[in-house]
Each structure stands twice: as C-alpha cells, then as structure tokens.
C-alpha cells in the first residue's frame, strides 16, 4: 500500500500541531506552578527582567539552589530562645526605634543561619527566602527599604514601626509559628 504525499504532509502537520500544543500546555502549567509557589515575587521578577521566560528561569534556578541547602526546623529550645529575643527587640522599640529595627533584621539573619540558609548579601537572602516564604518576602524587602531610608535620615518612627512589623511577619514564619490574630495584636 502506497501512502500519498498529501496524506504524509497532513499527518506531519497534525503531529507538529500536537507537539506545539503539548509544549504550550506544559509551559502554561510551569508558569502556573511558579506563580503559585512564588506569589507576588513571580510578578516582581517578571517586571525586573522584562521577560517572563527569563524570570521563570531565574525562579527555577532559585528553587534548585535552595533545594541544595541543608534546611532544618528549629528545635524547641532554639524557638523559645529566638522568641524571647524577639520580645526584647520589640520592647527596645520604645526607647530606640532605629536600633530595634536593626536588631530585628539581625535576629532574622541569625534564625536563617540556624535553619540552614546562607546569609550573604540581602538580595541573595531575599531570593532564597522567596522559594519557601513567598508570602512574606515582600515584607522583608519593604523592611530593607525602610532601613535604607533610615540610614539616609529619611525614615520616621512610624516607618521604623512598620519595618519591625514586616520583620515580625517573616520572623514568625521562620519560627514556624502562625501569625497573630488581630485580637492578639490589639491586646498583646
């Protein structure tokens, strides 16, 4: 049985269409997975690169990098010790808002190190945190922006309070504790 040329061309077109469709579906699923995993950080990286493909490649590289870290949960003793130190940071805010905000950032770095994260420069820390803590990494970036403004003498006490709140949100997640309810915030 001889197969005609038009049939072969038609079959090749159908196969090519199926391959292209499968590729598009896989690409869409990858985008959805990355958006779900990285949340607002996905959009931030897309904006900063100007190219969704390049952004997705960077986010995938982040995830692969963090997979290689020896991450571990905190022991009960570490969790208690860090929680007590956080309470001291918050208490210090009344007398020294800038110092308390700086101490909050330093304590976050110490918790990160204890959990197994490298604590190099800020951008690398934020990128690493975005893999497993995408919901609060924007808080960390906002606190950093306030700290930089404070160094220039441009941050108000309210800005520093907000930085401490941003740090607290990340701190609580790193300690693997739930965020306080609004009732606890008002009464605590």
């Amino acid at each position: 049985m001889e197969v005609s040329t038009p049939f072969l061309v038609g079959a090749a077109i159908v196969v090519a269409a199926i391959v292209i469709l499968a590729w598009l579906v896989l690409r869409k699923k990858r985008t959805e997975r990355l958006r779900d995993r990285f949340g607002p950080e996905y959009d931030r990286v897309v904006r900063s690169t100007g190219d969704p493909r390049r952004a997705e490649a960077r986010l995938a590289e982040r995830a692969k990098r963090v997979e290689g870290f020896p991450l571990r949960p905190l022991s009960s003793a570490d969790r208690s010790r860090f929680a007590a130190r956080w309470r001291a940071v918050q208490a210090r805010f009344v007398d020294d808002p800038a110092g308390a905000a700086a101490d909050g950032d330093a304590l976050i770095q110490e918790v990160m190190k204890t959990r197994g994260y490298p604590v190099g420069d800020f951008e690398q820390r934020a990128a690493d945190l975005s893999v497993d803590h995408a919901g609060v990494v924007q808080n960390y970036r906002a606190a950093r922006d306030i700290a930089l403004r404070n160094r220039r003498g441009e941050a108000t006490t309210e800005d520093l309070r907000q930085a401490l709140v941003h740090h607290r949100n990340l701190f609580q997640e790193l300690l693997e504790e739930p965020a306080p309810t609004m009732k606890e915030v008002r009464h605590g």
Side-chain angles (χ1 to χ4, degrees), residues 9 19 119 167 185:
V9 170
V19 168
V119 289
H167 280 134
V185 170

Side-chain angles (χ1 to χ4, degrees), residues 7-183:
F7 175 79
L8 289 176
V9 170
I13 290 171
V14 168
V15 168
I18 290 170
V19 168
I20 290 170
L21 182 62
W23 180 80
L24 290 172
V25 167
L26 290 174
R27 181 143 172 71
K28 183 178 180 189
K29 286 190 181 288
R30 177 182 183 200
T31 297
E32 289 171 0
R33 273 193 325 272
L34 289 169
R35 276 183 193 246
D36 288 345
R37 183 170 193 180
F38 286 94
E41 184 73 359
Y42 177 92
D43 294 326
R44 192 193 73 74
V45 175
V46 168
R47 278 191 312 275
S48 73
T49 63
D51 177 18
R53 286 185 193 177
R54 195 171 347 154
E56 289 180 3
R58 285 187 184 171
L59 293 171
E61 287 170 12
R62 284 183 192 183
K64 186 174 181 176
R65 172 182 155 83
V66 171
E67 285 174 14
F69 296 164
L71 297 179
R72 60 196 164 278
L74 295 173
S75 68
S76 295
D78 282 338
R79 203 171 7 267
S80 295
R81 180 173 51 88
F82 287 132
R85 288 185 51 204
W86 183 259
R87 286 189 296 276
V89 165
Q90 290 185 138
R92 181 177 179 198
F93 184 82
V94 173
D95 295 323
D96 183 8
D103 288 351
D105 184 54
L107 185 54
I108 284 172
Q109 289 181 54
E110 191 175 338
V111 172
M112 287 178 67
K113 186 174 182 182
T114 302
R115 296 238 7 234
Y117 287 97
V119 289
D121 74 311
F122 173 79
E123 284 302 322
Q124 189 61 63
R125 283 194 313 269
D128 292 343
L129 285 171
S130 73
V131 174
D132 295 320
H133 304 282
V136 293
V137 77
Q138 70 270 17
N139 290 336
Y140 194 40
R141 290 184 190 285
R144 172 64 170 200
D145 290 343
I146 293 168
L148 294 174
R149 287 194 342 244
N150 187 54
R151 287 185 193 145
R152 295 187 306 263
E154 299 170 357
T156 65
T157 300
E158 175 58 23
D159 293 333
L160 294 169
R161 185 194 70 77
Q162 191 60 49
L164 201 59
V165 168
H166 289 316
H167 280 134
R168 181 185 65 205
N169 292 337
L170 175 57
F171 177 80
Q172 288 173 330
E173 190 161 313
L174 288 171
L175 251 58
E176 300 172 341
E177 293 179 355
T181 65
M182 288 308 294
K183 184 177 180 182

